[in-house]
Amino acid sequence: MTSWTAETWIAVGTMTTAVVALAAGALAVWQVIEMRRTREGDVRPYPAVFMESHTDNPQLVDLVVQNFGRTSAYNITVQFDPPLLRSDGHGGSDAVGTFDELPVLVPNQDWRTLWDVGKDRLPLEIPTRHAAVLHYGNEQGKMFVSN
């Protein structure tokens, strides 16, 4: 049976140390990448579009675009399918006035407009379901899409 010499044990120890160091380095790099990805997700803007009853009169329904994120949202656009209609108060309907592009929404800021009056909308045959696609950017100019 052959026994290992001191030099052999030193070489094995050195190689084992190098393998462990490389594995620890790879793990550290992976953790830094994951932390960066998580941080970017935590601090990005999160605008949303929704309808909300008016606080003073529940018959009034507002269309709201609000930024729930921790940073500002830039160059916000929204497309609706089908296009938004509201009652005109005379038995007909007209288009809901929205923006072409909002330059910025800071955290917790909202943009809102009157969408409709519930009692006037009920008798009309206008769409009640809509899909919205929201385009917006962050401070670095990276663009996002949510629907």
Side-chain angles (χ1 to χ4, degrees), residues 9-114:
W9 281 109
I10 291 172
V12 169
T14 303
M15 292 300 288
T16 303
T17 302
V19 168
V20 169
L22 285 172
L27 181 62
V29 168
W30 176 78
Q31 286 181 327
V32 167
I33 291 169
E34 279 300 308
M35 280 191 332
R36 179 176 290 161
R37 192 177 308 151
T38 300
R39 187 191 58 191
E40 287 172 355
D42 286 346
V43 298
R44 72 175 253 206
Y46 283 105
V49 59
F50 56 96
M51 61 182 234
E52 181 176 67
S53 294
H54 199 274
T55 55
D56 295 334
N57 182 350
Q59 284 291 321
L60 302 177
V61 179
D62 285 341
L63 173 68
V64 182
V65 178
Q66 183 172 354
N67 182 9
F68 292 98
R70 292 174 47 194
T71 59
S72 297
Y74 295 91
N75 306 319
I76 304 151
T77 62
V78 184
Q79 289 85 35
F80 296 97
D81 183 35
L84 298 179
L85 296 174
R86 68 171 148 218
S87 58
D88 64 6
H90 306 291
S93 63
D94 59 5
V96 176
T98 60
F99 53 86
D100 291 328
E101 180 178 279
L102 273 177
V104 66
L105 271 179
V106 299
N108 298 316
Q109 183 183 23
D110 65 35
W111 174 94
R112 60 181 61 227
T113 188
L114 177 65

